Amino acid sequence: MARPAEKARSMMNKWVALREKGNQTPAFNNRNKRPYLASECQHLADAERFRGQIIREISNGISKVQNPALPEHEIRDLNDEINRKMREKWHWNKRIRELGGLDYISIEKQRQIEEGDTQQNQGYRYFGAAKDLPGVKELLAKEEEKLQKTKIQRDTYKNLTPDYYGWRDEEDGVLLELEPLANKQMDQMNPSKKRRISRKIKGDEDGDDEEDEEDYLAVPTQQDVAKMFLEQKKKALLAKFGV
């Protein structure tokens, strides 16, 4: 039989174990088990640890899918599994932000932009040997071309100054000096415009259309353009042969 001291020590150990178990938080009880939903996690440290687990699983999957000798169906299955883990990681990133942690969503997006990732706007991504699957290479090339066009447009507008839009035209005073002269020229043009309008009101429309075209359009005809090109060719030939 056990002695009374041993019984007391055993009861004391059981009581201490029960007390520690009662003081533990639910997160500590299930510290090694990742919940199915990220919203069930209530502690920032646990969310960070679970996110690290997912990142390690994604890294292992990417290492496996690098092998081009794998059958096509295995490559597709691995790529699907990686994308599923990527979506799960996005939920944990969101949960970490809700719990007051770092905004990993913005950090990862900025990193993709800096690295020139052509798949940053796609929901489904391709990794390793999956990029060489039939039809995938053409799709990625099209996305890269679209990204380059967007980057060129963004860089073009980024280097434009307010001078391009004419917001500082009046700062040097030149425009203000030319404005009275332009107003005076407009006043001189107004009488002829009034005469044309008065002729149209009276019904005298003979030659009005031709005058309007000459005053406002002044576009050379096709014959004039051909004649002009012919003259330029003649001058070029004469200059070439020194005539």
Side-chain angles (χ1 to χ4, degrees):
M1 294 180 60
R3 290 178 294 179
E6 293 177 354
K7 289 183 179 180
R9 195 179 304 116
S10 177
M11 292 295 295
M12 185 66 178
N13 292 336
K14 290 180 180 179
W15 180 81
V16 171
L18 289 173
R19 186 188 65 178
E20 291 179 354
K21 186 177 181 180
N23 291 334
Q24 290 175 354
T25 60
F28 186 81
N29 290 334
N30 300 322
R31 62 183 306 171
N32 295 324
K33 183 179 179 181
R34 186 167 73 232
Y36 181 73
L37 297 176
S39 58
E40 296 178 358
C41 181
Q42 303 298 328
H43 299 273
L44 178 60
D46 292 339
E48 293 276 3
R49 184 171 64 256
F50 295 144
R51 178 180 179 273
Q53 292 177 4
I54 297 173
I55 290 176
R56 286 191 293 272
E57 293 172 2
I58 292 173
S59 299
N60 292 333
I62 293 176
S63 300
K64 293 178 182 178
V65 83
Q66 299 294 332
N67 186 5
L70 292 174
E72 182 177 340
H73 68 278
E74 290 188 16
I75 294 176
R76 292 187 183 277
D77 291 342
L78 281 172
N79 201 74
D80 292 341
E81 181 65 19
I82 294 171
N83 277 274
R84 190 183 69 80
K85 295 292 184 183
M86 294 286 287
R87 289 193 296 271
E88 187 177 356
K89 180 169 71 72
W90 184 88
H91 288 291
W92 282 105
N93 290 343
K94 181 181 177 183
R95 185 57 182 165
I96 290 172
R97 185 177 61 186
E98 293 172 352
L99 294 173
L102 294 175
D103 188 0
Y104 287 109
I105 296 177
S106 300
I107 294 173
E108 291 177 359
K109 187 175 182 180
Q110 183 64 30
R111 188 181 302 161
Q112 289 174 352
I113 294 174
E114 293 175 355
E115 294 176 355
D117 189 357
T118 58
Q119 302 183 69
Q120 56 181 323
N121 297 324
Q122 291 183 354
Y124 191 88
R125 301 167 61 87
Y126 296 92
F127 301 91
K131 295 181 179 180
D132 298 327
L133 292 175
V136 176
K137 190 177 296 184
E138 293 78 6
L139 178 63
L140 295 179
K142 191 181 297 183
E143 289 293 330
E144 185 175 2
E145 183 180 356
K146 188 186 299 183
L147 183 64
Q148 290 295 330
K149 289 182 180 179
T150 305
K151 184 178 180 182
I152 292 173
Q153 292 178 357
R154 185 173 61 248
D155 293 342
T156 301
Y157 286 110
K158 182 175 65 176
N159 297 326
L160 292 179
T161 61
D163 296 333
Y164 176 80
Y165 298 99
W167 293 347
R168 296 177 180 174
D169 289 346
E170 298 181 357
E171 291 184 359
D172 55 0
V174 177
L175 187 63
L176 296 176
E177 294 177 358
L178 296 176
E179 187 175 359
L181 180 61
N183 291 332
K184 188 175 180 181
Q185 292 177 354
M186 285 293 296
D187 292 338
Q188 293 176 357
M189 292 173 61
N190 282 338
S192 61
K193 185 176 180 180
K194 290 180 180 178
R195 286 196 297 270
R196 287 196 300 271
I197 295 174
S198 62
R199 285 199 299 268
K200 288 183 179 180
I201 294 174
K202 293 178 182 179
D204 185 11
E205 298 181 355
D206 296 336
D208 288 346
D209 295 337
E210 296 179 359
E211 290 181 6
D212 293 341
E213 290 180 359
E214 292 177 358
D215 292 340
Y216 294 100
L217 298 179
V219 178
T221 62
Q222 190 172 2
Q223 292 79 6
D224 295 336
V225 174
K227 190 182 297 184
M228 194 162 42
F229 278 122
L230 184 60
E231 291 293 334
Q232 290 180 357
K233 288 182 180 180
K234 286 182 179 179
K235 290 181 181 179
L237 290 172
L238 291 174
K240 182 178 180 180
F241 295 105
V243 179

